[in-house]
Amino acid sequence: QVQVVESGGGLVQPGGSLRLSCAASGSGFWIEAANWYRQASGKQRELVASFTPGGPTIYENSVQGRFVISRDNAKSTVYLQMNSLKPEDTAVYYCNAEVYRDLHNLGDYWGQGTQVTVSS
């Protein structure tokens, strides 16, 4: 049925950038709204950014001004552009997406997570 796939994680130096993607795969599937979460080792999962059509977007205080959440024109992919990355941004990042198939709301689905490591 629904497959939400995250990608874009990796190793980056402090001050660098990464763009994470959260895609709803399959014909007719699209994303209405989405949240990005992250979970650092030994820490609670926290909300990083939230996208809702019509806005406003919401950001965790420590990433505001550095991260941008957006959705492509086809509504198939939600992105998290991460700039000026800091070591404290290191975590597994998860997408939770509200997925539609055509006009039918299928509910919320989690991606598998993608590792972001910020280190020299």
Side-chain angles (χ1 to χ4, degrees):
Q1 295 182 358
V2 178
Q3 183 170 302
V4 174
V5 180
E6 297 162 321
S7 61
L11 175 65
V12 65
Q13 294 185 346
S17 298
L18 286 173
R19 188 177 72 167
L20 306 183
S21 298
C22 175
S25 299
S27 180
F29 292 95
W30 56 280
I31 296 172
E32 171 72 4
N35 299 319
W36 282 98
Y37 293 82
R38 68 185 180 188
Q39 187 167 23
S41 180
K43 302 296 189 295
Q44 297 270 24
R45 187 173 298 187
E46 65 175 353
L47 178 66
V48 176
S50 180
F51 172 86
T52 302
T57 53
I58 299 172
Y59 298 95
E60 193 273 329
N61 288 340
S62 69
V63 310
Q64 191 155 20
R66 299 188 296 121
F67 290 10
V68 178
I69 188 170
S70 63
R71 185 182 65 180
D72 69 1
N73 291 334
K75 303 179 181 181
S76 64
T77 306
V78 172
Y79 302 99
L80 184 67
Q81 177 67 46
M82 305 185 296
N83 302 314
S84 302
L85 283 163
K86 304 174 180 179
E88 50 263 44
D89 295 319
T90 296
V92 179
Y93 284 71
Y94 299 90
C95 176
N96 181 257
E98 182 183 4
V99 179
Y100 278 68
R101 180 171 59 83
D102 300 320
L103 299 180
H104 303 282
N105 189 336
L106 303 182
D108 296 340
Y109 291 85
W110 288 92
Q112 80 287 351
T114 184
Q115 176 70 47
V116 172
T117 302
V118 185
S119 179
S120 298

